[in-house]
Amino acid sequence: MTLLLMISCRKEIPFNAEEVAPKIVVNSLFSTDSIWSAHIGRSAGILDTADYSSIPDATAFIYDADNNQVAELLYQGNGLYTDTTSMPIENQEYRIEISAPGFQDISASNAIPSAVPIIALDTLTATNEEGLAILQVDVVIDDPANINNYYLIEMWLSGEYQWGGITYEYSDRMEISSNDPYIETTNTFDFDGFENAYNYFLLSDENFDGEDYTLSFSVINWEDVKKDVDLNLFGEIRLLNSSEAFYNYRTSYEVYDNANGNPFATPVQVYSNINNGIGIFAGGTLTTWEVEF
Amino acid sequence: MKRFLIIVSLMFYAGLLMGQNATISGYVKDVNTGEALIGANIYESQLKTGTVSNEYGFYSITLPMDSVHLKATYVGYEGMEYHLKLEEDIQLPIQLGADMELGEVVVTATKADFKESQMSAVNIPMQKVKALPVLLGEQDIIKTIQLFPGIQSGSEGSSGLYVRGGGPDQNLILLDGVPIYNASHLFGFFSVFNADAINNAKIIKGGFPAQYGGRLSSVLDIRMKEGNMKKISGEGSIGLLSSKLAIEGPIIKDKTSFIVSGRRTYIDVLGALFTSGFGKDGGEGKEEDGGKGGGSNSSSGGYYFWDLNAKFNHIFSPTSRLYVSGYYGKDRFSNNTTTNFSSEGNQNEQSIDNDLNWGNAITAVRWNKVLGPKLFMNVTGTYSQYQFHTGFEQEFSVSGADTSALSRLTSDYDSGIRDWAAKADFQFNPNPRHSIRFGLGNTYHTFIPGVDQQESTQNDSTTVDSNYSNQNLYSHEHAVYFEDDWEISERLKINYGVHFAGFLTGDTWYPSIQPRFSGRFLLTENSSVKLSYSRMTQFLHLLTNPTIGLPTDLWVPATERIAPEYSNQYAIGYAQSFKNGLQFSIEGYYKDMSNLIEYREGVSFRGTSEDWQDLVVIGDGESYGAEFLIEKKTGKTTGWIGYTLSWSNRTFDDLNFGETFPYTYDRRHDIGLAITHQFNDNVDVGLVWVFGTGYPTTLAQQTYNGIDGVVGGSDPNFTPIEYIQERNNYRIPSYHRLDLSVNLHKQKKHFERTWSFGLYNAYSRQNPFYLYFDYDTGNGKGKEEIDEDNPPSRALYQLSLFPLLPSISYSIKF
């Protein structure tokens, strides 16, 4: 092969896709506890080395299922558009329409699924095979029946602490590990002997629709966390019940991120639900449960 | 089904009851070597009926007891006529001699393809394999096959086969009836088949006879030579890449013969000579960085492949014959580096060994028995194995006055497949209108889908010993078949049959009934229309990297989770033979395929310990197209030109968001031209020209800022994402190439020698092998470090492998 590479040669060739027109890119993840917002920018040709530029002169409107305008997003700078006059509500189908000079109009539709309650949580401190302390957590989710649900679950360490007479805000996502068979493995990584480590879990209710589902996991870096607990920090389970669009985007993005830069990996397409454009317009509902240590 | 059996029974008894008939049977052989002539025509000129010798040279024809005018013909041989009074069953050995004046061969000596019920099949002319120009002068039957319509090579220089939109795993490659699982040497650039050892080859792309099964897209049936029964003979050659030698001859004249053929490359030897001046570094003893000095290093290794074909056969009687044949071949890449240096008064040595090897080993034992003038039996037992191994060993030792330590780290990966098989095949010719084949067999597969072993040793004490493996998988594949080649009338001939197969894997059994049909209708004395239908089942899958064929490609069985692959293929064609020796054919086909597997998105070909079943997705495929072929088989100028217009698509729920996309080897236009011309007995020339529209590949066309945050997050992170709108969305540039060769023959006192000169890619076309984006730094080699504040412009680059490559080889034949 070395010989082949020695005799091989490289040359620049015309890229016939250069005439592909840039598209409007929109990123808008909305929930019931936040105002309407969207980041609006443009795509760049693959050979373009300039920064991705935002679009400051776009018009963006949100409509409900009855085609009533519920929000007009106004430019706030750095590509961010917001509307402070209304907030999304659950189970309402919304459509975003964006137009900008020089670009094809784009649109996308999505809704916020209902909140899914955490009905029980149990923690247990244990020691793993290497003698390190771990925190075992059992979370019970009341999964609604006959609805496709898509979950993203994280555990955070949050709170305030004093240092040198100054109060600091603290928030850090913890590494967690689980062998639950229904968790998507696209974003798993090895961490200090834990083969199934995650920053967050992605799972659908395809295999436990309508049941009280117990998800068991361990907090990997508990040994380090314990020191912070003395600072009166607390844990927080965050359960996001997301739309299918967000779940598809999130899982495909994880696959993309893992494969990025590997020339032997098969190509990955990141999910987009924007008609005539690129990006994601998706809703979700967050449920939190505080964990006392 | 019941009605079908009644019809078959009636035909059988009708044949038996046709009174006043007798059967002529025997073997057709080369008069000079005793080699079986496969596919020779035996034709009764008064009744205008005939038969064809089978893969062992056996023929059987039943005729009315009367005067018989029998004519035997075979391409490149002088025909023989027999006039006899047929009064009882007789054995008639037919021996044909090579035609010394090929240019004068009459047209009737060619095999008239348009008369066969079989369609979508190509008999590979072995003499052309040796006469046509090839890469680095290595004669390669697969490269010749790739020149016919409907068959593509894949990437530049590859010996892969992509037939009618099928994948590289969908070809049943048989060497003397034994499956070869990896038919490639040198990472796919050469096939494992040594042309000196091959007697006959045939590829079938559709209209599969019922005797074949187990793959969706093609059958490549290669038969090795049997060995000269008359005298010791041989041939050998020395080329740029390899040398080879074949010896054959009688052990007992006209009773027992052998052939042994071997080949080995010497890239490693030449490489060692080339690097001998650079591979060793005397290592001036400089004390650097903590007192390190007095160093030396050396390296060795290289790449080579070898293969060995051997066959032995013995004639017990005119009706009983035994064959034992084998193929053994291996590719090996190895590299060893040793570094010695002194540090703080201690002597240190570090050695690193890398080893990569793979190869096939097959053995077959066959027994031919003529059970009666009309009934021929072949019983076969076979063993086939493909193994892949890669290993790494690192050793570090320290020795000094006060200390001594040794550490060793080893890592090995093994995979492969192993088959034991037995089968019995029968051919029954009840009368000239029927040629019936039936048989049964079973194959016991052992799949080794990847075993990883790591071991770490400190001072002879093992500290880490780990083994990660997928479990070996065991399965049985069995088949029963029946087919009848039936000449219903002078105009209408059909081949119908059924292949019933089953696959037992774990606790799951997959049965499969596969009907087969092909037929031809003579429009005129020289033209016919043909049509065919085949249902095929494939119980094995190949996990293969989509970009390049590597020996790491892994054969795995259908399992409870991953079902077998199925296909249905329909074809219609027209064939015509012209009086000047030209043959023309056009065929259209449609093929649907289901349960195909592909790696899921983002999976790399190695580096994962996951169960292979979790790495794949399942989908369907379809392909359709038209093929045109004009062939000239006789005269001083021979050759063919083929053109294919085709489409091949795939649809997977989990790829391309469920939308249909072009197959990786979808090629709209494909042209293959191959011509040889014999000026006289001493000089012949060859020309090959190929053209193909570019294959599709997946290239991002745009980038954008994607969100890397959670729902409701007020300040999300953004990350650049390459936007791929569709899989295989971009066509790489077209491929075309011209190859030329000249062969100079001279008869010496004891042997015939040939000088062969070749030019591969004569006009040095830079054909695409790989496309990638890179920064344009002006030096043509990309840039290691990019100034992010002021990045250079980017461009699309193409890597081409083979520019104009001359070749020369010297061969002898005695």
Side-chain angles (χ1 to χ4, degrees):
Chain A
M1 290 304 282
T2 306
L3 181 66
L4 288 173
L5 290 174
M6 285 171 63
I7 63 172
S8 68
C9 60
R10 118 179 177 148
K11 72 170 184 179
E12 183 180 336
I13 60 173
F15 183 46
N16 300 330
E18 280 178 312
E19 63 269 20
V20 173
K23 294 173 184 282
I24 293 176
V25 177
V26 58
N27 288 291
S28 176
L29 305 179
F30 54 95
S31 64
T32 52
D33 59 355
S34 59
I35 61 168
W36 282 108
S37 69
H39 285 82
I40 300 173
R42 50 160 288 179
S43 63
I46 192 75
L47 302 180
D48 191 349
T49 53
D51 285 343
Y52 307 106
S53 55
S54 57
I55 300 176
D57 53 353
T59 56
F61 297 98
I62 308 286
Y63 299 92
D64 63 17
D66 298 325
N67 216 26
N68 299 314
Q69 180 183 316
V70 296
E72 179 180 6
L73 305 181
L74 301 175
Y75 189 56
Q76 306 297 322
N78 291 326
L80 178 65
Y81 287 72
T82 61
D83 181 318
T84 56
T85 61
S86 66
M87 293 176 73
I89 57 174
E90 285 182 6
N91 296 317
Q92 173 68 264
E93 182 81 8
Y94 292 106
R95 184 177 79 257
I96 188 169
E97 292 187 356
I98 302 174
S99 58
F103 295 93
Q104 195 175 4
D105 293 351
I106 68 166
S107 65
S109 297
N110 208 249
I112 300 175
S114 299
V116 171
I118 296 172
I119 57 175
L121 189 140
D122 189 22
T123 60
L124 175 68
T125 304
T127 307
N128 73 358
E129 293 174 355
E130 296 177 0
L132 298 173
I134 57 171
L135 181 71
Q136 291 181 347
V137 181
D138 289 345
V139 181
V140 185
I141 302 168
D142 182 12
D143 183 74
N146 304 318
I147 301 172
N148 293 330
N149 290 96
Y150 303 91
Y151 299 115
L152 185 150
I153 298 162
E154 301 171 298
M155 184 158 181
W156 287 75
L157 188 64
S158 304
E160 294 179 346
Y161 67 95
Q162 299 278 327
W163 184 264
I166 302 172
T167 302
Y168 292 91
E169 291 273 342
Y170 185 88
S171 185
D172 189 25
R173 187 165 58 186
M174 290 185 262
E175 278 88 21
I176 46 185
S177 171
S178 176
N179 292 318
D180 186 286
Y182 303 138
I183 293 175
E184 289 278 352
T185 57
T186 52
N187 59 322
T188 186
F189 59 92
D190 291 348
F191 183 89
D192 272 357
F194 289 89
E195 289 182 8
N196 300 310
Y198 298 82
N199 286 314
Y200 51 84
F201 301 129
L202 290 162
L203 77 162
S204 76
D205 67 348
E206 185 180 352
N207 296 292
F208 53 85
D209 182 48
E211 299 174 12
D212 289 346
Y213 187 69
T214 303
L215 175 68
S216 300
F217 64 91
S218 305
V219 177
I220 295 173
N221 46 347
W222 182 245
E223 188 77 23
D224 299 325
V225 172
K226 277 198 305 183
K227 300 167 192 165
D228 296 331
V229 171
D230 296 338
L231 299 172
N232 294 319
L233 300 179
F234 61 90
E236 187 177 65
I237 302 287
R238 296 182 184 178
L239 169 68
L240 176 75
N241 182 25
S242 78
S243 64
E244 184 179 4
F246 175 79
Y247 188 79
N248 289 340
Y249 173 78
R250 199 68 234 179
T251 50
S252 63
Y253 172 76
E254 290 295 344
V255 177
Y256 170 85
D257 196 40
N258 285 335
N260 197 17
N262 179 356
F264 295 107
T266 54
V268 183
Q269 293 171 267
V270 177
Y271 178 80
S272 164
N273 68 341
I274 312 296
N275 299 318
N276 301 322
I278 312 174
I280 186 71
F281 175 71
T285 312
L286 199 62
T287 305
T288 60
W289 187 297
E290 193 169 308
V291 183
E292 298 285 346
F293 296 132
Chain B
M1 188 66 186
K2 192 174 178 182
R3 180 177 294 177
F4 174 78
L5 290 173
I6 292 170
I7 293 171
V8 171
S9 303
L10 286 174
M11 286 174 357
F12 180 81
Y13 286 109
L16 293 179
L17 293 172
M18 284 176 71
Q20 306 301 313
N21 285 346
T23 301
I24 305 170
S25 63
Y27 286 88
V28 186
K29 298 178 180 177
D30 181 305
V31 69
N32 295 314
T33 65
E35 195 75 37
L37 298 180
I38 300 168
N41 277 319
I42 296 92
Y43 185 72
E44 212 295 321
S45 54
Q46 297 178 113
L47 296 172
K48 295 183 177 177
T49 189
T51 188
V52 176
S53 61
N54 70 10
E55 55 271 31
Y56 300 97
F58 177 79
Y59 76 96
S60 169
I61 184 168
T62 300
L63 300 167
M65 290 183 182
D66 200 346
S67 60
V68 169
H69 291 182
L70 211 58
K71 188 181 285 183
T73 59
Y74 190 73
V75 178
Y77 285 73
E78 284 190 50
M80 291 283 287
E81 289 192 22
Y82 300 86
H83 298 266
L84 47 98
K85 183 76 174 170
L86 185 60
E87 295 176 331
E88 59 181 350
D89 291 348
I90 61 168
Q91 289 184 6
L92 179 64
I94 296 175
Q95 296 191 324
L96 302 180
D99 196 315
M100 303 308 290
E101 297 180 54
L102 281 174
E104 303 301 320
V105 170
V106 290
V107 174
T108 52
T110 65
K111 189 179 176 186
D113 292 342
F114 74 94
K115 287 186 176 175
E116 300 298 316
S117 58
Q118 173 74 58
M119 67 182 300
S120 310
V122 177
N123 284 292
I124 312 303
M126 287 309 298
Q127 67 272 30
K128 297 296 175 246
V129 173
K130 295 192 172 187
L132 289 170
V134 282
L135 177 63
L136 294 173
E138 277 303 301
Q139 296 158 357
D140 193 332
I141 190 169
I142 300 283
K143 297 282 172 59
T144 305
I145 290 171
Q146 291 167 351
L147 300 172
F148 285 95
I151 303 165
Q152 295 166 22
S153 63
S155 56
E156 161 82 317
S158 164
S159 60
L161 289 176
Y162 297 83
V163 181
R164 289 188 168 175
D169 57 320
Q170 295 175 0
N171 309 300
L172 179 62
I173 300 176
L174 299 170
L175 182 61
D176 271 356
V178 189
I180 296 274
Y181 284 101
N182 186 328
S184 296
H185 281 310
L186 192 54
F187 304 98
F189 292 114
F190 301 100
S191 80
V192 299
F193 302 111
N194 181 345
D196 290 349
I198 297 171
N199 176 20
N200 182 275
K202 179 181 186 178
I203 186 163
I204 304 171
K205 302 175 287 184
F208 300 100
Q211 62 177 302
Y212 297 113
R215 300 290 188 280
L216 299 191
S217 289
S218 81
V219 175
L220 174 56
D221 194 350
I222 296 174
R223 299 282 163 176
M224 286 170 59
K225 287 179 179 174
E226 294 171 358
N228 196 321
M229 281 282 185
K230 307 291 183 185
K231 61 174 184 175
I232 293 285
S233 63
E235 53 191 311
S237 68
I238 298 173
L240 289 178
L241 187 70
S242 73
S243 287
K244 54 190 176 183
L245 179 66
I247 302 286
E248 58 183 312
I251 297 172
I252 303 169
K253 193 175 180 183
D254 292 328
K255 277 272 187 193
T256 310
S257 71
F258 75 95
I259 178 169
V260 177
S261 176
R263 171 171 64 159
R264 191 194 190 281
T265 62
Y266 25 70
I267 305 170
D268 54 332
V269 179
L270 295 175
L273 289 172
F274 181 72
T275 58
S276 59
F278 310 103
K280 291 186 177 181
D281 179 1
E284 302 301 323
K286 276 189 179 177
E287 292 283 321
E288 294 177 351
D289 297 335
K292 187 174 165 182
S296 68
N297 63 64
S298 63
S299 64
S300 62
Y303 169 84
Y304 67 86
F305 72 75
W306 63 266
D307 51 41
L308 181 72
N309 291 275
K311 193 167 184 176
F312 160 91
N313 82 89
H314 176 71
I315 300 173
F316 294 108
S317 72
T319 60
S320 176
R321 189 166 184 170
L322 182 75
Y323 302 86
V324 180
S325 59
Y327 165 86
Y328 311 92
K330 178 161 274 195
D331 287 59
R332 185 172 188 219
F333 171 81
S334 63
N335 175 258
N336 170 271
T337 58
T338 303
T339 305
N340 290 287
F341 61 93
S342 59
S343 174
E344 298 175 351
N346 296 323
Q347 190 61 35
N348 303 279
E349 181 175 300
Q350 176 177 292
S351 69
I352 299 173
D353 288 301
N354 289 294
D355 186 42
L356 173 71
N357 66 71
W358 67 96
N360 295 280
I362 69 166
T363 302
V365 179
R366 272 179 298 277
W367 178 46
N368 285 180
K369 176 68 178 172
V370 180
L371 299 174
K374 299 174 182 176
L375 185 60
F376 178 88
M377 179 185 74
N378 176 59
V379 179
T380 309
T382 67
Y383 173 77
S384 178
Q385 173 185 281
Y386 173 70
Q387 277 187 314
F388 171 80
H389 170 83
T390 179
F392 164 84
E393 180 175 335
Q394 183 177 27
E395 193 172 286
F396 185 74
S397 64
V398 181
S399 58
D402 303 322
T403 183
S404 176
L406 174 69
S407 66
R408 182 185 297 121
L409 174 68
T410 63
S411 173
D412 294 280
Y413 172 85
D414 292 277
S415 66
I417 181 171
R418 195 164 53 235
D419 285 358
W420 290 95
K423 62 176 183 172
D425 302 284
F426 300 86
Q427 184 177 352
F428 177 55
N429 296 335
N431 59 55
R433 295 203 177 277
H434 290 276
S435 179
I436 295 169
R437 287 174 182 260
F438 55 96
L440 74 170
N442 184 74
T443 302
Y444 176 59
H445 299 285
T446 302
F447 299 88
I448 305 153
V451 179
D452 254 317
Q453 285 181 297
Q454 271 110 40
E455 187 175 303
S456 176
T457 305
Q458 294 282 347
N459 295 327
D460 295 330
S461 171
T462 300
T463 55
V464 178
D465 185 0
S466 51
N467 189 325
Y468 310 97
S469 67
N470 286 305
Q471 293 290 314
N472 281 5
L473 301 168
Y474 306 94
S475 57
H476 283 275
E477 182 175 354
H478 31 269
V480 181
Y481 70 88
F482 169 88
E483 66 173 81
D484 180 13
D485 203 38
W486 181 14
E487 189 169 13
I488 298 172
S489 70
E490 247 183 72
R491 286 185 180 275
L492 183 60
K493 188 176 185 181
I494 64 171
N495 185 301
Y496 65 95
V498 63
H499 185 98
F500 174 77
F503 192 74
L504 183 62
T505 176
D507 296 328
T508 305
W509 185 59
Y510 289 106
S512 167
I513 296 176
Q514 303 161 46
R516 313 284 174 81
F517 174 84
S518 62
R520 69 103 169 102
F521 183 79
L522 285 179
L523 296 173
T524 67
E525 284 189 356
N526 297 312
S527 65
S528 66
V529 290
K530 299 184 179 185
L531 56 88
S532 68
Y533 165 76
S534 301
R535 179 166 174 81
M536 305 294 283
T537 302
Q538 180 166 330
F539 299 108
L540 278 58
H541 304 282
L542 184 68
L543 293 176
T544 183
N545 183 275
T547 50
I548 45 176
L550 292 169
T552 51
D553 291 351
L554 195 62
W555 285 97
V556 290
T559 64
E560 289 181 24
R561 283 173 58 187
I562 312 288
E565 300 175 14
Y566 301 98
S567 74
N568 294 288
Q569 187 179 165
Y570 312 83
I572 186 166
Y574 170 82
Q576 182 164 3
S577 183
F578 297 93
K579 289 185 177 176
N580 57 5
L582 285 175
Q583 292 191 15
F584 169 77
S585 69
I586 176 173
E587 290 189 9
Y589 66 91
Y590 174 83
K591 179 164 63 178
D592 62 69
M593 297 165 276
S594 55
N595 293 337
L596 306 180
I597 66 168
E598 291 267 0
Y599 275 126
R600 61 175 160 80
E601 286 191 336
V603 168
S604 183
F605 69 96
R606 63 166 306 174
T608 175
S609 56
E610 278 187 79
D611 184 344
W612 66 268
Q613 295 175 98
D614 294 328
L615 301 178
V616 301
V617 291
I618 300 170
D620 300 330
E622 67 165 4
S623 59
Y624 48 93
E627 299 166 359
F628 304 81
L629 177 65
I630 299 174
E631 270 187 291
K632 187 172 185 297
K633 293 184 176 178
T634 59
K636 288 185 179 296
T637 303
T638 59
W640 66 90
I641 180 168
Y643 168 70
T644 308
L645 174 68
S646 63
W647 288 261
S648 183
N649 297 313
R650 298 289 186 270
T651 307
F652 285 67
D653 287 344
D654 297 314
L655 296 178
N656 202 40
F657 305 119
E659 297 292 322
T660 298
F661 58 92
Y663 179 48
T664 306
Y665 294 97
D666 173 50
R667 173 170 270 178
R668 195 69 64 246
H669 305 283
D670 186 87
I671 299 172
L673 171 67
I675 297 173
T676 61
H677 179 77
Q678 186 174 6
F679 288 101
N680 51 48
D681 287 347
N682 296 328
V683 181
D684 62 73
V685 295
L687 176 152
V688 164
W689 185 73
V690 292
F691 172 86
T693 46
Y695 290 124
T697 189
T698 304
L699 286 182
Q701 296 181 329
Q702 299 189 58
T703 56
Y704 70 101
N705 263 339
I707 199 166
D708 183 16
V710 297
V711 170
S714 57
D715 189 18
N717 296 319
F718 287 97
T719 183
I721 295 174
E722 294 189 347
Y723 177 58
I724 299 170
Q725 189 162 8
E726 291 177 0
R727 193 178 176 93
N728 288 339
N729 57 339
Y730 192 82
R731 291 273 168 184
I732 66 175
S734 298
Y735 182 97
H736 53 92
R737 194 190 77 232
L738 174 71
D739 307 332
L740 301 168
S741 68
V742 178
N743 298 305
L744 305 175
H745 312 278
K746 190 167 188 178
Q747 185 63 50
K748 298 284 192 177
K749 188 175 179 182
H750 298 295
F751 61 89
E752 180 190 335
R753 68 103 176 107
T754 301
W755 280 104
S756 297
F757 303 91
L759 286 179
Y760 180 88
N761 197 3
Y763 52 80
S764 202
R765 157 80 176 173
Q766 291 186 17
N767 283 304
F769 178 72
Y770 183 65
L771 300 190
Y772 62 102
F773 294 109
D774 201 356
Y775 290 97
D776 178 11
T777 58
N779 59 13
K781 292 293 181 187
K783 192 174 181 181
E784 295 298 322
E785 294 181 3
I786 299 298
D787 178 0
E788 292 185 359
D789 295 331
N790 188 24
S793 61
R794 276 161 60 93
L796 180 62
Y797 290 91
Q798 164 190 296
L799 199 65
S800 303
L801 280 188
F802 301 119
L804 186 153
L805 290 176
S807 66
I808 181 172
S809 66
Y810 177 83
S811 57
I812 60 168
K813 191 173 181 179
F814 56 92

